[in-house]
Amino acid sequence: MNNIVAIVGRPNVGKSTLFNRLIQRREAIVDSVSGVTRDRNYGKSEWNGKEFSVIDTGGYVRGSDDVFEGEIRKQVELAIDEADVIIFVVDVEEGITPMDETVAKLLRKVTKPVLLAVNKVDNAMREKDAIEFYNLGLGDYYTFASISGSGTGDLLDALIDAFPEKPVVEVKEDLPRFAVVGRPNAGKSSFINALIGQDRYIVTDIAGTTRDAIDTKFDRFGFEFNLVDTAGIRRKAKVKEDLEFYSVMRSVRAIEHADICILVIDATRGFEGQDQSIFWLAEKNRKGVVILVNKWDLVEKDTMSTRDYEEKIKKELMPFTDVPILFVSALTKQRLLKALEATVQVFENRKQRIATSKFNEYMLKVIEAYPPPATKGKYVKIKYCMQLPTATPQFVFFANMPQYVKEPYKRYLENKIRENWDFAGVPIDIYIREK
């Protein structure tokens, strides 16, 4: 299971620059597609062969300076709750500020590893100035300059050393894992209770009363799988947190270790920015996705309602619109079996294998009917294609000049694959390689 690293600190100390430097080896999971979370605040990084997830708490501070202190406190508490290691970034130019002291006071009570990182140290003079940070009472510190990158190697070495040894989790009987994800109060727990037939998850009207991902073995109606939900009761004090940030952090773990994500959205609120963030998180992690529009019984309907609603959601999902969308009610148990059937189908779609001969027979005709557009008078010829033996659907097309095959043509190939084979709910990767 991946370790989670949280970067904390007051505004403008270079948290985001450090974050971007850490994830540049790998694409950030949350894109800068409009509406997909403010900024890119979650990504994957890797150092010395160890992969880990990085959360930049900075993207979630908003409001004026006088609001910051409360916001910072909330974020640090969240990071303490969620992360395995915390990097606390301070700025050598400004020295220790009252807000740094506030953060340090919170971090001194923590049993998790905390790395104090002093930013903007790019010469010997500033190296001396950094000694002041011993006064924060967090022990040794690491100096670095996030813009040039100097010193980040030592910080990363220390980070890897600080990771706790994770116990090997025994996955029950190798069953598929379906994660129930979504923004707080969309009805995830009610959905699971309705399926399992018992109130094993505490359902309240307070948004965000669930905590910690728990696996439940589901074995009813002829289906068998592990349901992953963020379950359990939250301490009362925690309910006032920044729930958007919380739900993304929560979803990170659940999504990374699932096969299929069941994204539950609240019909009365629509497909909001937070739902989109979670959807793109699942898509970037190459997981299968089913969208359940919950609380459909509470919506005023006319004959076009479901179609209009579906069109609206698909518009937000472009270009990945081949996703099952079902309208359910956890309360009245309406269409819950349908939802299960759709999820199992997506799981089957994700692991299907197409014989190379059949794939070529169909796709080469499609390519002949509409070949890649010529570039600078050069014609691209694709003579052979196949599905790769990977855990998620990936296809490779061999061409004489792969560099001239652009994104729109790859999308055309993907659409043709989807027309002929059922890959609903599953992200597909297309690669063009030299013969």
Side-chain angles (χ1 to χ4, degrees):
M1 209 178 227
N2 275 2
N3 285 287
I4 289 189
V5 176
I7 304 174
V8 303
R10 60 188 174 78
N12 306 322
V13 288
K15 294 193 298 295
S16 294
T17 317
L18 172 62
F19 170 76
N20 288 335
R21 185 163 283 287
L22 290 186
I23 64 162
Q24 70 184 359
R25 279 167 272 284
R26 305 283 304 265
E27 193 180 355
I29 293 294
V30 176
D31 270 283
S32 46
V33 178
S34 68
V36 178
T37 73
R38 280 178 303 297
D39 301 317
R40 290 155 33 149
N41 44 26
Y42 163 79
K44 279 185 170 174
S45 187
E46 182 253 342
W47 185 254
N48 286 349
K50 284 210 172 167
E51 203 175 78
F52 53 94
S53 301
V54 194
I55 309 268
D56 170 20
T57 59
Y60 280 85
V61 175
R62 44 186 182 273
S64 56
D65 283 358
D66 51 337
V67 177
F68 275 145
E69 196 157 327
E71 288 282 344
I72 293 269
R73 182 184 293 274
K74 272 194 299 199
Q75 282 175 30
V76 174
E77 284 172 355
L78 268 173
I80 289 167
D81 265 9
E82 291 296 320
D84 298 298
V85 181
I86 297 157
I87 299 178
F88 173 26
V89 183
V90 290
D91 178 350
V92 74
E93 284 180 3
E94 295 187 37
I96 295 177
T97 68
M99 213 184 286
D100 290 332
E101 284 173 344
T102 305
V103 176
K105 192 174 164 190
L106 287 166
L107 293 177
R108 282 198 298 270
K109 300 172 189 160
V110 181
T111 52
K112 292 177 180 179
V114 175
L115 303 181
L116 177 58
V118 185
N119 192 13
K120 303 181 189 172
V121 179
D122 47 17
N123 59 44
M125 194 62 218
R126 288 187 166 177
E127 201 68 63
K128 281 190 190 134
D129 294 343
I131 293 171
E132 170 192 2
F133 289 98
Y134 273 124
N135 295 327
L136 288 175
L138 291 167
D140 283 340
Y141 56 81
Y142 299 85
T143 58
F144 75 106
S146 61
I147 289 184
S148 69
S150 70
T152 42
D154 292 342
L155 176 62
L156 282 165
D157 286 343
L159 176 69
I160 298 297
D161 289 343
F163 285 151
E165 278 301 311
K166 294 254 172 163
V168 178
V169 181
E170 291 284 319
V171 179
K172 299 167 219 167
E173 303 161 33
D174 212 19
L175 291 175
R177 300 187 78 203
F178 299 163
V180 183
V181 293
R183 65 195 323 286
N185 223 18
K188 300 186 292 294
S189 296
S190 309
F191 168 69
I192 288 194
N193 287 342
L195 283 186
I196 295 171
Q198 63 199 49
D199 284 356
R200 140 102 260 199
Y201 296 88
I202 307 296
V203 180
T204 66
D205 286 335
I206 305 167
T209 42
T210 54
R211 182 180 176 72
D212 296 327
I214 287 181
D215 273 24
T216 306
K217 186 174 171 190
F218 184 90
D219 188 0
R220 295 177 73 190
F221 316 118
F223 299 114
E224 202 178 357
F225 50 82
N226 283 322
L227 260 183
V228 186
D229 182 45
T230 46
I233 312 172
R234 175 97 61 83
R235 296 189 296 284
K236 281 283 188 288
K238 292 284 180 204
V239 175
K240 297 187 189 74
E241 288 160 357
D242 185 331
L243 289 162
E244 283 205 5
F245 182 59
Y246 201 93
S247 60
V248 166
M249 278 189 121
R250 232 342 127 228
S251 305
V252 168
R253 280 190 203 269
I255 288 170
E256 281 185 349
H257 304 290
D259 297 302
I260 309 296
C261 298
I262 301 171
L263 173 56
V264 181
I265 70 169
D266 182 338
T268 61
R269 298 184 65 154
F271 192 62
E272 300 182 310
Q274 192 57 18
D275 301 312
Q276 290 171 41
S277 315
I278 294 169
F279 175 83
W280 290 114
L281 247 161
E283 192 268 345
K284 282 284 175 193
N285 271 293
R286 308 329 255 163
K287 306 300 183 184
V289 187
V290 175
I291 295 175
L292 301 189
V293 183
N294 188 28
K295 309 186 186 177
W296 191 239
D297 51 317
L298 303 179
V299 176
E300 293 285 321
K301 302 172 205 41
D302 56 45
T303 47
M304 283 289 284
S305 287
T306 49
R307 195 184 306 165
D308 289 349
Y309 209 100
E310 198 169 319
E311 285 306 313
K312 225 185 226 168
I313 293 175
K314 287 196 168 168
K315 206 168 157 193
E316 301 289 351
L317 301 183
M318 303 225 3
F320 180 32
T321 54
D322 187 14
V323 178
I325 298 170
L326 289 96
F327 295 83
V328 303
S329 164
L331 199 66
T332 64
K333 302 195 176 175
Q334 183 186 4
R335 286 199 275 292
L336 291 196
L337 267 179
K338 271 254 181 313
L340 277 191
E341 281 165 9
T343 309
V344 171
Q345 185 57 53
V346 170
F347 177 72
E348 293 302 328
N349 295 351
R350 188 168 178 254
K351 62 178 195 177
Q352 77 172 307
R353 294 277 169 269
I354 304 166
T356 304
S357 55
K358 275 191 176 155
F359 192 59
N360 276 278
E361 191 187 329
Y362 175 76
M363 290 308 292
L364 293 180
K365 278 181 193 155
V366 160
I367 291 162
E368 203 181 324
Y370 177 55
T375 310
K376 300 175 188 163
K378 294 189 167 66
Y379 290 91
V380 180
K381 290 187 171 56
I382 296 172
K383 293 285 183 210
Y384 183 72
C385 51
M386 64 184 285
Q387 182 175 4
L388 294 170
T390 46
T392 60
Q394 299 185 342
F395 299 91
V396 63
F397 291 80
F398 294 96
N400 55 344
M401 289 177 284
Q403 69 275 26
Y404 293 127
V405 180
K406 300 289 183 261
E407 218 42 58
Y409 194 76
K410 284 189 192 174
R411 263 206 296 280
Y412 164 73
L413 292 175
E414 181 182 329
N415 290 338
K416 288 295 171 190
I417 293 171
R418 289 185 186 280
E419 273 174 31
N420 203 49
W421 291 281
D422 187 359
F423 282 104
V426 185
I428 288 178
D429 290 306
I430 303 274
Y431 300 105
I432 313 290
R433 295 275 180 268
E434 196 138 357
K435 285 192 286 205

